[in-house]
Amino acid sequence: MYIPLLFFYAGVRVMEYGYARVSSTEQNLDRQIMELKKYVAEGNIVVDKASGKNTEREGYQALKGLFGLREGDVLYVTSLDRLSRDKEDIKRELQWFQDKKVRLKILDLPTSLIEVPEGQAWILEMIQNVLIEVLSSIAEQERLTIRKRQREGIEAAKAKGRHLGRPRLKLPEEFPAIYDRWKDGQLTAKKAMYLLGMKPSHFYRKVREYEAGNEPKGV
């Protein structure tokens, strides 16, 4: 990871950064860096070799930290999924860039690269808002799809008579005999569990099931 030196122009610091990420140390960053170098000095490109499951990555967090991006700065990425694979995370990051007045330019989204006349920054804000809304809609649709598939899976399993959740463990053949000896005081509960190979929670749950199943009718 490399964080570039700071430069000041007329008392106002303006920086252009690039950010590249791959998911593992075995993957290569060259393609992303080659694309980013068309817009940013190589020394200003920050890289991570880490999963995109969330945004907790050393290089990326350094960019957002004390010596990183500031109002008026620009960050280039080759695609939105370099920030994260999770759409909720991406939405939050876009909101962060918007709140901090940092320009995010995404190379595979040409509308994010447009330049606007001075005093018309509202156009860029509109583009950012559209991106956030689109990602919100996609994330919500994905959640609904996942829930629908889960519901359909549960209904299909019920229709086939399958038991959902953890499989029920059958009682050991020796359970009734050991149960009787435990109830008669011949065995301690600890000894009974040892002989049956059961943990306390499992043992007492099976005791309740066994007793409920062996209650005389009408009792």
Side-chain angles (χ1 to χ4, degrees):
M1 181 192 72
Y2 176 80
I3 297 295
L5 296 173
L6 308 183
F7 295 93
F8 293 82
Y9 297 92
V12 179
R13 191 199 73 166
V14 177
M15 293 291 292
E16 290 190 330
Y17 294 81
Y19 177 70
R21 180 189 67 80
V22 289
S23 295
S24 69
T25 54
E26 291 77 25
Q27 292 178 293
N28 198 301
L29 287 158
D30 289 351
R31 185 191 64 79
Q32 291 180 60
I33 291 174
M34 184 172 62
E35 289 299 310
L36 292 170
K37 281 166 61 177
K38 296 175 183 178
Y39 302 87
V40 186
E42 186 169 4
N44 287 15
I45 297 174
V46 177
V47 304
D48 275 316
K49 288 194 171 186
S51 170
K53 64 182 179 181
N54 57 48
T55 61
E56 295 303 315
R57 301 182 296 274
E58 184 182 3
Y60 185 66
Q61 289 303 318
L63 269 173
K64 295 174 64 181
L66 184 62
F67 299 107
L69 294 159
R70 292 292 180 270
E71 182 176 335
D73 287 351
V74 180
L75 179 66
Y76 288 86
V77 293
T78 56
S79 60
L80 271 174
D81 62 4
R82 297 307 86 197
L83 301 182
S84 174
R85 292 198 311 266
D86 183 86
K87 291 183 175 57
E88 284 294 336
D89 278 344
I90 294 173
K91 187 178 76 170
R92 282 190 291 270
E93 295 310 296
L94 288 173
Q95 191 63 57
W96 185 89
F97 287 115
Q98 185 165 314
D99 293 343
K100 297 294 182 180
K101 295 182 172 57
V102 172
R103 177 83 184 272
L104 180 65
K105 293 189 176 184
I106 306 141
L107 302 189
D108 66 357
L109 289 175
T111 51
S112 70
L113 302 176
I114 65 171
E115 298 298 337
V116 300
E118 189 175 349
Q120 295 190 20
W122 63 270
I123 297 176
L124 299 177
E125 188 172 338
M126 180 185 69
I127 292 170
Q128 194 90 324
N129 285 334
V130 169
L131 273 175
I132 291 171
E133 286 302 317
V134 168
L135 284 166
S136 298
S137 297
I138 292 173
E140 180 60 24
Q141 187 57 49
E142 286 181 348
R143 283 194 295 271
L144 292 173
T145 299
I146 289 170
R147 289 193 193 116
K148 181 183 177 184
R149 287 173 180 169
Q150 289 173 335
R151 187 168 60 252
E152 288 173 347
I154 291 170
E155 290 172 356
K158 286 180 177 178
K160 291 181 179 179
R162 284 165 49 193
H163 172 70
L164 300 174
R166 291 183 179 181
R168 291 178 181 170
L169 298 176
K170 293 181 179 179
L171 282 176
E173 290 182 7
E174 62 272 26
F175 185 90
I178 292 176
Y179 169 85
D180 289 340
R181 291 174 63 192
W182 169 62
K183 277 293 190 179
D184 289 343
Q186 299 173 33
L187 294 174
T188 64
K190 187 174 181 180
K191 184 66 175 178
M193 293 175 208
Y194 173 76
L195 293 173
L196 292 166
M198 290 181 174
K199 294 181 179 179
S201 59
H202 184 205
F203 174 74
Y204 288 110
R205 183 171 70 251
K206 288 304 176 185
V207 165
R208 289 193 297 272
E209 291 176 4
Y210 180 74
E211 290 175 345
N214 285 278
E215 284 182 356
K217 300 297 182 185
V219 174

